[in-house]
Amino acid sequence: MAESDRKRRSTRNSKMVSSPVVTKMQAIMQKEMVREFLAEFMSTYVMMVFGLGSVAHMVLGEKFGSYLSVNLGFGFGVTMGVHMAGNISGAHMNAALTFTNCALGRMSWKKFPVYILGQFLGSFLASATIYCLFYSAIIQFSGGHLTVTGPTATASIFATYLPEHMTLWRGFLDEVIVTGILQLCLFAITDKENNPALQGTQALVIGILIVVIGLSLGMNTGYAMNPSRDLPPRFFTFIAGWGIQVFRARDWWWVPVVAPLLGAYLGAIIYLVFIGSSIPRRPQILENSMKYEDRRIPVLPKTMSNPPTTLTPVSVSPANRPSVRTVPPLSDSIHLEHF
């Protein structure tokens, strides 16, 4: 009996100790920035696991993967990321899109480091996950030598590298244009004042957009379009055994970081100037069509048994005037802006 009483008291005391801790953790998890950080972290992790895994299949086992499968992996990875975080953080999963939203005033700059940290950590952890899952295949394919270039190079599983037929500045221009098209189309898909994707289909349409961009424009640079997709995996390969060559190869490493920022911003400006500004504003809608400035409105009596010879004019005071409902202009924030 004494021993059972001690166990009960111990259990009761542990509950009393843990309860405030759990409550505090729950309070922290409910904070907006914490939820947005976790949403960006998880959505980017899911996108990158699917995307990098498809690249690993193409590089390590030709019969298990193809260029089409890589596009499908990244495309539907983005779709799953949007489903996971779309209504929490907007599921950017892309530092270039986050930068553009802040630069246009659609999001506070205070959130910029929170989003970037979540995206970078998610991408880095996804790289580590793929490395662990495919470690044996990587070692067998490369003969134990982790290289960046050559017939047995495996660094391209994780980050993009410039092919021989491209120069550095042509690659820079390619990334600017491709990322600009991405941002331009994302605004079109999510602009409720234009012709957006049907409610509930945005995630799928955005995933298809990624697939189409990869199939049509991905050959030159690997369509990074995203600092969060390229820089954290590159840093992971640096510390995992590929060495400093991942940053030195044709001095390419900075292009997928800088060019998408410029491209996304230009794509957004082009949409807002050429498309957004040409969308007609809706006129004000009055709930009562009567005009009532200083006019007097005639009111008929309740019964017509003894109809009066004249109508009684009644003044309408400003306090009793019908309310005016206006339709807001084009929203300053397009929530689902991704990858």
Side-chain angles (χ1 to χ4, degrees):
M1 291 291 293
E3 185 177 353
S4 62
D5 290 339
R6 282 197 299 271
K7 288 182 178 179
R8 290 195 192 97
R9 284 196 297 270
S10 177
T11 303
R12 192 180 303 113
N13 291 335
S14 65
K15 288 181 179 179
M16 293 175 63
V17 172
S18 62
S19 181
V21 175
V22 173
T23 303
K24 188 174 182 179
M25 288 296 296
Q26 290 176 340
I28 293 174
M29 296 290 286
Q30 290 302 315
K31 291 184 178 179
E32 182 182 8
M33 282 198 179
V34 174
R35 296 177 69 243
E36 290 172 343
F37 166 80
L38 293 174
E40 288 297 310
F41 172 79
M42 289 303 303
S43 59
T44 307
Y45 175 80
V46 168
M47 174 193 73
M48 291 298 291
V49 165
F50 288 157
L52 297 182
S54 63
V55 179
H57 277 76
M58 182 182 70
V59 172
L60 302 175
E62 294 182 0
K63 63 181 180 180
F64 295 106
S66 65
Y67 185 68
L68 175 60
S69 67
V70 171
N71 294 303
L72 291 173
F74 271 110
F76 286 101
V78 169
T79 295
M80 292 301 106
V82 174
H83 278 298
M84 185 169 295
N87 284 337
I88 301 173
S89 66
H92 293 184
M93 300 178 282
N94 187 334
L97 303 188
T98 303
F99 169 80
T100 300
N101 276 275
C102 293
L104 294 177
R106 295 168 179 259
M107 194 176 80
S108 170
W109 280 106
K110 292 181 180 180
K111 294 185 177 183
F112 182 76
V114 176
Y115 274 59
I116 300 304
L117 182 61
Q119 293 165 12
F120 275 34
L121 287 178
S123 184
F124 186 89
L125 184 59
S127 303
T129 301
I130 295 301
Y131 178 76
C132 293
L133 291 175
F134 292 90
Y135 176 78
S136 298
I138 291 172
I139 296 301
Q140 182 180 11
F141 179 82
S142 64
H145 301 287
L146 302 179
T147 58
V148 176
T149 59
T152 60
T154 49
S156 60
I157 294 174
F158 301 93
T160 62
Y161 292 89
L162 195 65
E164 292 296 329
H165 71 274
M166 292 291 290
T167 63
L168 185 65
W169 291 107
R170 283 184 179 274
F172 184 93
L173 180 62
D174 186 275
E175 283 293 320
V176 169
I177 293 175
V178 171
T179 311
I181 291 174
L182 170 68
Q183 181 68 85
L184 185 74
C185 294
L186 285 176
F187 269 22
I189 291 170
T190 57
D191 187 355
K192 294 182 179 179
E193 295 295 328
N194 193 359
N195 185 25
L198 296 177
Q199 185 68 28
T201 67
Q202 296 96 331
L204 179 61
V205 174
I206 292 169
I208 294 173
L209 170 63
I210 301 302
V211 174
V212 172
I213 290 176
L215 290 174
S216 58
L217 302 171
M219 182 186 78
N220 287 333
T221 62
Y223 72 113
M225 303 187 298
N226 184 355
S228 304
R229 175 260 178 272
D230 201 83
L231 187 59
R234 194 180 300 274
F235 184 72
F236 172 81
T237 55
F238 168 69
I239 65 176
W242 279 265
I244 194 63
Q245 192 63 22
V246 299
F247 291 103
R248 289 178 176 172
R250 304 194 65 185
D251 296 323
W252 170 253
W253 71 270
W254 63 273
V255 174
V257 177
V258 178
L261 301 179
L262 177 61
Y265 185 75
L266 290 177
I269 293 298
I270 289 171
Y271 182 87
L272 294 176
V273 171
F274 291 96
I275 304 297
S277 62
S278 64
I279 297 175
R281 302 287 181 112
R282 295 182 185 179
Q284 290 187 346
I285 300 175
L286 300 180
E287 292 183 355
N288 192 329
S289 60
M290 293 182 293
K291 308 210 182 229
Y292 42 77
E293 286 293 327
D294 289 326
R295 302 182 184 180
R296 303 166 73 81
I297 304 173
V299 178
L300 292 176
K302 292 183 180 179
T303 62
M304 298 297 293
S305 57
N306 296 309
T309 57
T310 60
L311 298 177
T312 304
V314 178
S315 298
V316 179
S317 64
N320 296 326
R321 291 175 180 174
S323 60
V324 179
R325 176 169 58 86
T326 60
V327 177
L330 179 63
S331 173
D332 285 336
S333 60
I334 296 178
H335 197 51
L336 293 175
E337 295 163 355
H338 332 264
F339 187 70

